[in-house]
Amino acid sequence: MNDNQLLRYSRHILLDEIGIEGQEKILAANALVIGAGGLGSPVAFYLASAGMGRITLVDNDSVDLTNLQRQILHTTERVGQPKAESGKETLARINPEVEVVALKERVEGERLSELVRQASVVLDCSDNFATRHAVNRACVQHKVPLVSGAAIRMDGQISVFDTRGAESPCYACLFPPEQQFEEVLCSTMGVFAPLVGIIGTMQAAEALKLVADIGESLAGRLLLLDARNMEWTSIRVARNAACSVCG
Ligand SMILES: [Zn+2]
């Protein structure tokens, strides 16, 4: 780290849990962020400000006026622009040292697999089951930890799926792809603005802890937030031996 970096990251370096060694791990890490919307916004903000070495921001959509109530990476002037590009522009102002790769595409198949293989950590900030399952499959295949978040109406959830640990479940252990879940999309449902901030910020925290190797992650636990009453529930979740993805 040069003098400027020592200053920029000094409040991390002062932490016993991070220090110079931990900050160097963060600077050398590479995060894949799927979705530059409500969850992806706070995720990208904190990963960039904290010095994540490279952030690959994937989003197929463009900024819409209805996004601005909660998708804080984007601005009124950027309505109509690709979200990935808009996000890259915002992050460059916060921390120009971070390499941001903006991909305006819906990544799937081999392409997704290759991006996951190169990542130190993957953050699922998408809003649909098809993407969540595809990202989970690639993370299981390459044994890359997955920080998964979701938020709808006044309810949020977050967990870490890290199949490097033998006991740790994958996303499909909890939500089997064979099972039909009612798809509730933010694009048509309401969502409380700060809810995505709370969940996304926690996703960023878990990702930074994973790459800097700090404490215990949320692997094996699912946190549910009822924001009406601001109540958290923590549920222990185990690997499913019959899981069609990791079993
Ligand atoms: Zn599984």
Side-chain angles (χ1 to χ4, degrees):
M1 269 184 273
N2 60 37
D3 287 352
N4 260 323
Q5 289 175 311
L6 289 170
L7 283 174
R8 184 186 278 271
Y9 305 117
S10 56
R11 272 21 175 211
H12 259 180
I13 293 167
L14 284 168
L15 286 174
D16 290 340
E17 290 82 356
I18 299 185
I20 290 206
E21 201 189 330
Q23 187 60 43
E24 277 175 344
K25 286 180 187 164
I26 295 170
L27 290 167
N30 169 7
L32 175 63
V33 180
I34 307 289
L39 298 170
S41 287
V43 157
F45 263 112
Y46 275 112
L47 294 185
S49 68
M52 181 66 71
R54 194 201 314 160
I55 299 171
T56 304
L57 198 53
V58 182
D59 201 301
N60 189 33
D61 250 352
S62 296
V63 180
D64 185 86
L65 186 59
T66 60
N67 299 152
L68 299 179
Q69 163 251 20
R70 65 199 177 283
Q71 302 187 13
I72 57 175
L73 265 184
H74 314 299
T75 62
T76 309
E77 309 82 70
R78 298 200 205 128
V79 167
Q81 281 185 30
K83 284 188 189 177
E85 282 299 329
S86 165
K88 182 177 173 164
E89 230 175 287
T90 302
L91 300 183
R93 292 192 193 169
I94 296 162
N95 190 349
E97 289 185 356
V98 174
E99 184 193 347
V100 179
V101 179
L103 301 177
K104 184 190 189 301
E105 51 188 289
R106 193 186 162 96
V107 292
E108 20 187 35
E110 262 312 298
R111 172 93 168 126
L112 174 61
S113 175
E114 184 52 28
L115 287 169
V116 167
R117 194 185 62 78
Q118 293 170 8
S120 324
V121 63
V122 176
L123 296 105
D124 183 359
C125 306
S126 71
D127 66 352
N128 64 85
F129 283 121
T131 304
R132 288 200 189 118
H133 280 299
V135 170
N136 177 61
R137 272 192 296 274
C139 286
V140 170
Q141 183 192 353
H142 298 294
K143 292 206 181 303
V144 174
L146 169 63
V147 184
S148 175
I152 193 79
R153 299 191 191 103
M154 302 285 285
D155 299 298
Q157 66 178 49
I158 175 172
S159 189
V160 169
F161 302 106
D162 188 352
T163 50
R164 293 174 302 177
E167 303 295 310
S168 174
C170 83
Y171 180 79
C173 291
L174 270 72
F175 306 99
E178 307 77 32
Q179 214 167 304
Q180 291 295 316
F181 289 96
E182 188 199 352
E183 183 97 82
V184 276
L185 292 173
C186 303
S187 47
T188 51
M189 304 302 279
V191 57
F192 186 44
L195 176 67
V196 289
I198 297 168
I199 301 292
T201 303
M202 289 180 73
Q203 285 182 270
E206 287 298 288
L208 290 167
K209 283 168 54 194
L210 282 162
V211 299
D213 208 5
I214 300 166
E216 288 238 3
S217 82
L218 276 175
R221 279 181 293 157
L222 175 68
L223 292 187
L224 302 170
L225 172 63
D226 167 6
R228 287 166 213 85
N229 306 308
M230 215 45 96
E231 270 182 339
W232 288 96
T233 308
S234 177
I235 299 172
R236 287 266 161 202
V237 284
R239 182 172 262 188
N240 172 10
C243 173
S244 62
V245 177
C246 75

